[in-house]
Amino acid sequence: MKDFVESRFVKEVAEITANMYRQGWDERNGGNISYLIDEECVREYFPTDKFIRDIPLGFEADDIVKGRYFLVTGTGKYFKNVIKDPEENLGLVKISEDKKTAHLLWGYRSGGKFTSEFPAHLMSHAVRLKVNPSNRVIMHTHPTYTICMGACLPTDEVVFTRKLWKSNTEAVVVFPEGIGVLPCMICGTNEIGEATAEKMNTHRIVSWTNHGIYGAGNDIDEAFGLIETVEKTAQIYMLTLGHVVNEIPDEVIIGLAKLWNLKMMDGVIEGE
Ligand code: 2HA
Ligand code: ZN
């Protein structure tokens, strides 16, 4: 069997975590990623009925993730270190039949476990898979300007989305469904996981006020691309705050949505 460390899945996560660290988004153990891998891919590397150990999930996961495999960043692990030692900082788990346990197939070498946010990730995966069966990735990170922007605005997703769309012409094109916004909450709990997943019914990105962002995508590039576009836009917003002379007119935003045949989030642009 092939060596999982050499797989494209481990390489993709190792490269993106290093990249995100260099963006300055993932200080210390900040951020976490989970990546759904299809069984036929897992079979190239492992027998699918032999496990290293079991790790309780701490909640009962949705039926849709039962028996599925996730490559997940480890709790307390640093994004900057994944590329140096993937087997210590990542783990591959299979969700058990009773949906309460994760069977470990690979990784967390020194006895570690998945990120404390894994329940929140699984809840978001379940919702996104129902909306879009091709969704594979949930990504959480602490992008600086997005957090600044959240601190400066009311916790209102129409207001947040409008400010983003009015600051960068790419914004409405990349996330026409807008950004979901949660108030400041205690992270690592099932409550914030449920609230995030609820937003994921209608948005692929959710801002956690005073904390960071959650993004979903069909692959690593798509989830990252979504987050980096929000962050770039938030940077433009914060750097121009109080000085803006040329704000993107509503007609241009409507024109962009028409050009790309996009369904915009309701209530953000007047007259739409
Ligand atoms: O994994 O980012 O939200 C560390 C965190 C918690
Ligand atoms: Zn976080």
Side-chain angles (χ1 to χ4, degrees):
M1 281 191 170
K2 296 196 273 182
D3 186 353
F4 192 59
V5 174
E6 303 299 328
S7 70
R8 74 174 169 89
F9 308 104
V10 170
K11 280 193 179 140
E12 284 176 39
V13 174
E15 277 169 18
I16 206 71
T17 45
N19 184 345
M20 291 165 82
Y21 173 72
R22 283 195 300 271
Q23 306 286 335
W25 302 348
D26 297 283
E27 74 291 343
R28 202 173 180 275
N29 64 322
N32 30 73
I33 296 177
S34 59
Y35 188 175
L36 195 164
I37 302 178
D38 291 336
E39 185 160 68
E40 55 265 35
C41 299
V42 174
R43 279 184 197 285
E44 293 178 26
Y45 301 93
F46 304 101
T48 51
D49 57 351
K50 288 211 174 60
F51 310 118
I52 300 169
R53 55 194 160 92
D54 281 352
I55 309 170
L57 284 177
F59 83 115
E60 188 173 329
D62 192 278
D63 256 337
I64 201 165
V65 296
K66 180 172 75 176
R68 304 195 84 161
Y69 300 83
F70 294 90
L71 180 60
V72 194
T73 49
T75 184
K77 303 300 183 191
Y78 293 19
F79 267 24
K80 74 181 178 67
N81 294 338
V82 174
I83 202 153
K84 287 185 273 188
D85 191 353
E87 200 173 343
E88 174 68 21
N89 294 288
L90 304 176
L92 177 69
V93 297
K94 178 182 188 179
I95 307 303
S96 65
E97 279 302 301
D98 69 2
K99 303 169 286 182
K100 292 178 181 164
T101 303
H103 304 303
L104 181 66
L105 285 94
W106 172 89
Y108 308 142
R109 192 181 43 216
S110 308
K113 60 180 273 191
F114 42 72
T115 166
S116 59
E117 304 287 359
F118 191 41
H121 281 237
L122 281 179
M123 292 175 201
S124 288
H125 274 288
V127 168
R128 287 312 304 170
L129 283 168
K130 287 173 195 168
V131 179
N132 164 28
S134 304
N135 195 84
R136 291 284 175 277
V137 175
I138 299 290
M139 195 178 265
H140 166 65
T141 181
H142 303 162
T144 313
Y145 287 95
T146 307
I147 299 169
C148 294
M149 193 166 163
C152 294
L153 292 177
T155 52
D156 178 325
E157 47 211 22
V158 168
V159 174
F160 206 127
T161 299
R162 184 173 166 81
K163 298 287 186 199
L164 290 167
W165 287 0
K166 299 284 277 180
S167 303
N168 175 5
T169 52
E170 285 302 297
V172 69
V173 178
V174 176
F175 47 95
E177 83 272 40
I179 183 168
V181 175
L182 289 182
C184 188
M185 293 173 73
I186 301 168
C187 56
T189 62
N190 287 349
E191 287 71 28
I192 199 167
E194 284 157 12
T196 307
E198 212 268 314
K199 296 286 179 199
M200 287 267 176
N201 275 302
T202 42
H203 304 279
R204 291 166 299 154
I205 31 168
V206 180
S207 161
W208 283 10
T209 302
N210 306 123
H211 183 141
I213 198 165
Y214 260 68
N218 291 355
D219 53 35
I220 295 272
D221 270 355
E222 199 182 67
F224 178 79
L226 204 46
I227 292 172
E228 72 173 337
T229 308
V230 172
E231 173 62 359
K232 173 67 177 278
T233 308
Q235 183 175 14
I236 293 168
Y237 178 82
M238 292 309 301
L239 292 177
T240 56
L241 193 58
H243 305 284
V244 177
V245 177
N246 299 307
E247 198 174 45
I248 300 173
D250 285 5
E251 309 82 75
V252 170
I253 296 171
I254 294 167
L256 284 164
K258 287 216 170 95
L259 179 67
W260 294 99
N261 206 15
L262 303 168
K263 166 84 183 82
M264 282 196 284
M265 178 178 170
D266 287 334
V268 179
I269 302 294
E270 297 288 318
E272 259 306 282

